[in-house]
């Protein structure tokens, strides 16, 4: 039996559960006997630098619960210009890979889709704390981020209450409000601002004032980094664009806190959770989902099914064409947003 070499890479922002996927791929491959697993380091950049590392069963010990990625990651776009594309393809032929498992979000899987179109065998695994990937009901990492943000909101409640303050908590999520909505519901936020549904500053201030009038002299506002006020723009922490053309979001919390304090006269503070939401150990849910994805991706390879991403539909792991995934984000469920709104104020 000839040995087939499989490349594994993790691309984009890191995310709790990446190591669980890598472990599942390597462990499942052992069941099939004729695979050699090769880690491609720092996402697609590993194909430009020829930076790879053999992945053995021994290396998988003790990584299930570890955050980050043992392979490293980057936001590298192999298709950013002809020279980059040529260099990557030269490495691909040198490595003699039978297939690649690309673990990533919209950008990493966008490259995977293009490589598929160019005749390479690729299987995608959906990763992002933002939960905004099309083609799947859930990405791993999201549950952990929500857990962290919810704990933060719980903690902000007690200090807000002690000081009669408004506390604004800015969470990640890029152009979608999944983290803000889930954490906002779980953490009992008095208003949740998401990119999908811009709201007026006056409406937020009214909610806060009404609470004060009822004798509840503190409020918790959960705001997604990509949220904007009605008629306003997204707030950027940097205009510099990455290789996929993304600017860096951040700062809406600060803007909002200032305006709330000005309009209501109530003492207001802001907390930006930032990369704390991406770091550290994955929840049990994310470990299980990541493990199921890893096993399913290796099963797809063994069954010669390529150009697909493993995905969650209901409670089942399925495969969807990579073509369905690339381009555009999955916005929040309008029904969920309506549920969240019931508890505002
Ligand atoms: O996509 C994941 C994410 O954490 C977003 O929520 C956030 O906007 C972005 O990555 C931050 O990117 P970086 O790690 O480059 O600061």
């Amino acid at each position: 039996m000839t040995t087939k070499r499989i490349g594994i890479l993790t691309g984009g922002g890191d995310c709790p559960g990446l190591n669980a996927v890598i472990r599942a791929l390597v462990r499942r491959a052992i069941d099939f006997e004729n695979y050699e697993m090769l880690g491609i380091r720092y996402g697609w950049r590993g194909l430009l630098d020829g930076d790879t590392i053999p992945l053995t069963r021994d290396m998988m010990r003790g990584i299930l619960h570890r955050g980050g990625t043992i392979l490293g990651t980057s936001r590298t776009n192999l298709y950013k210009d002809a020279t980059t594309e040529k260099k990557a393809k030269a490495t691909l032929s040198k490595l003699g890979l039978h297939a690649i498992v690309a673990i990533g979000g919209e950008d990493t899987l966008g490259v995977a889709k293009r490589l598929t179109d160019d005749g390479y065998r690729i299987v995608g695994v959906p990763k992002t704390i933002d939960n905004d990937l099309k083609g799947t009901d859930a990405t791993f990492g999201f549950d952990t981020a929500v857990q962290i943000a919810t704990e933060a909101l719980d903690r902000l409640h007690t200090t807000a209450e002690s000081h009669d303050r408004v506390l604004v908590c800015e969470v990640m999520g890029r152009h979608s409000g999944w983290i803000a909505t889930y954490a906002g519901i779980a953490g009992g936020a008095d208003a949740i601002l998401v990119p999908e549904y811009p709201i007026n500053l006056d409406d937020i201030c009214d909610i806060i004032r009404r609470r004060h009038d009822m004798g509840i002299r503190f409020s918790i506002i959960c705001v997604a980094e990509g949220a904007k006020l009605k008629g306003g723009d997204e707030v950027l922490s940097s205009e510099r664009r990455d290789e996929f053309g993304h600017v860096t979001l951040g700062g809406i919390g600060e803007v909002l806190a200032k305006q709330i304090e000005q309009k209501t006269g109530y003492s207001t503070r802001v907390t930006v959770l930032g990369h704390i939401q991406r770091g550290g150990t994955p929840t049990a849910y994310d470990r299980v989902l990541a493990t199921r994805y890893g096993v399913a991706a290796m099963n797809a390879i063994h069954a010669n099914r390529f150009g697909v991403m493993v995905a969650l539909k209901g409670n089942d792991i399925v495969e969807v064409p990579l073509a369905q995934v690339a381009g555009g984000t999955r916005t929040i469920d309008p029904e969920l947003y309506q549920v969240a709104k019931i508890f505002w104020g």
Side-chain angles (χ1 to χ4, degrees), residues 130-132 173-181 192-199 224 226-228 230 234 329-334 337:
D130 304 335
N131 203 34
D132 62 350
R174 211 160 240 170
H175 305 292
S176 78
W178 286 101
I179 299 177
T181 307
I192 302 168
L193 276 75
V194 294
E196 292 88 340
Y197 300 99
I199 56 180
K228 38 189 183 251
K230 235 178 214 166
E234 282 180 339
T329 53
R330 191 170 72 98
T331 49
I332 57 166
D333 178 356
Y337 184 67

Side-chain angles (χ1 to χ4, degrees), residues 13 75 128-130 172-174 179 225 248-249 275 278:
R75 298 187 194 277
T128 167
I129 63 161
D130 304 335
M172 282 186 166
R174 211 160 240 170
I179 299 177
E225 63 180 358
T248 312
L249 293 165
H275 293 82
R278 290 217 317 241

